[in-house]
Amino acid sequence: DAKTTQPNSMESNEEEPVHLPCNHSTISGTDYIHWYRQLPSQGPEYVIHGLTSNVNNRMASLAIAEDRKSSTLILHRATLRDAAVYYCILGGTQGGSEKLVFGKGMKLTVNP
Amino acid sequence: DAGITQSPRHKVTETGTPVTLRCHQTENHRYMYWYRQDPGHGLRLIHYSYGVKDTDKGEVSDGYSVSRSKTEDFLLTLESATSSQTSVYFCAISGASQGIYGYTFGSGTRLTVV
C-alpha cells in the first residue's frame, strides 16, 4: 500500500491559518488523497479528499502538488475545535469500496 | 446523528470469555468496517464487509470474527478475549455505492479485558 508521511505534531494559534503537510512520494495514478481528523474521545470524521485538482469545502482546502507527491490541508482560520489528530490517507477509490488504512496521524494543537 | 451506533459503549470482561460488539446503521450503506485504536498504533483495520454475508479480513484479524446477516448490523466477536484485545473499537460505514463520499465512524466501544 502506498504510504504517507506526516509530522508527528504541529502547533498553531487560534484564528490564524494552518497548513498541514503530507508527503506521499509513492502515490499511484489512481490514488485519491483523503484527510480525516479525530477529535478527543471521538471517532474520526471525514474532512476532504481530492485526486489532482485543489479542492475546497466548508471545513478546509486541499492543495495538491502538481506531481501529486505531496499535499497540504489548509485550515483557513483555526479554532480551538480544530485541535485534533489529522490523518492523511491514500485510497484507490473515493474512499468507500476500498478500505482505508489509517496511520498514526499528526496531532494539531491550537493555542488560544 | 449520522445514523451509526455502537453498543455497548463501555465493557469490562474477563480473559477467556466471549464478547460481541454491535454496529448498527440506519443509512442502508453497503460497506462497513471494524477498526481498533491503541496508543502508538493509530487505527488498524480488523475486518470489513462489502455486503450481507460478504466479509473479509483486515490487517489485525487474528482472534476476531465478524458476521453480517443484515445490511444494518455488523457484529464483531472476540471468541476468547485476551488482555491484548483491550482497546477502543470503532465501526465505520461508507456510502460509496450510493455516491456518498467518505467514511462515517461510530462513537466507539471501549473494551477492557481483565
Side-chain angles (χ1 to χ4, degrees):
Chain A
D1 292 335
K3 294 187 176 179
T4 63
T5 304
Q6 301 175 256
N8 288 331
S9 62
M10 285 185 64
E11 280 194 41
S12 67
N13 296 318
E14 196 176 12
E15 299 187 4
E16 292 184 358
V18 57
H19 293 223
L20 310 179
C22 182
N23 289 316
H24 28 77
S25 58
T26 60
I27 190 170
S28 74
T30 58
D31 279 336
Y32 282 79
I33 302 158
H34 307 265
W35 282 84
Y36 283 75
R37 72 180 186 181
Q38 187 173 18
L39 304 174
S41 301
Q42 295 187 25
E45 63 176 347
Y46 167 80
V47 177
I48 201 167
H49 77 287
L51 184 61
T52 56
S53 302
N54 294 345
V55 184
N56 301 294
N57 66 21
R58 63 175 181 81
M59 290 182 69
S61 297
L62 176 61
I64 302 172
E66 196 170 335
D67 64 5
R68 300 208 329 123
K69 293 186 176 183
S70 65
S71 60
T72 302
L73 180 70
I74 303 167
L75 306 179
H76 295 286
R77 194 163 172 267
T79 69
L80 296 179
R81 194 190 176 277
D82 292 320
V85 175
Y86 285 78
Y87 299 93
C88 171
I89 305 161
L90 301 182
T93 67
Q94 299 200 58
S97 60
E98 182 164 317
K99 54 189 185 297
L100 295 182
V101 178
F102 286 73
K104 297 180 183 180
M106 185 210 73
K107 183 177 182 179
L108 175 67
T109 300
V110 180
N111 300 313
Chain B
D1 205 343
I4 176 172
T5 56
Q6 293 184 231
S7 58
R9 291 295 312 276
H10 302 272
K11 185 170 182 66
V12 179
T13 192
E14 294 185 350
T15 299
T17 60
V19 177
T20 295
L21 309 183
R22 180 184 186 228
C23 179
H24 178 76
Q25 59 143 330
T26 58
E27 305 295 322
N28 200 34
H29 286 344
R30 178 179 173 187
Y31 306 111
M32 300 185 75
Y33 309 83
W34 276 107
Y35 287 86
R36 63 177 287 176
Q37 186 169 37
D38 306 288
H41 288 280
L43 282 100
R44 294 181 290 174
L45 182 64
I46 305 171
H47 281 280
Y48 55 102
S49 170
Y50 288 171
V52 173
K53 297 184 180 179
D54 187 2
T55 64
D56 206 346
K57 296 179 179 180
E59 59 181 313
V60 289
S61 60
D62 288 347
Y64 301 94
S65 62
V66 290
S67 66
R68 190 158 177 211
S69 59
K70 299 183 292 185
T71 298
E72 58 266 35
D73 289 324
F74 193 30
L75 304 180
L76 177 70
T77 298
L78 291 65
E79 300 291 346
S80 179
T82 67
S83 58
S84 65
Q85 293 175 311
T86 292
S87 186
V88 180
Y89 292 86
F90 288 101
C91 176
I93 60 176
S94 167
S97 64
Q98 297 149 290
I100 301 171
Y101 303 146
Y103 284 21
T104 300
F105 281 83
S107 299
T109 294
R110 184 173 295 275
L111 177 67
T112 302
V113 183
V114 297

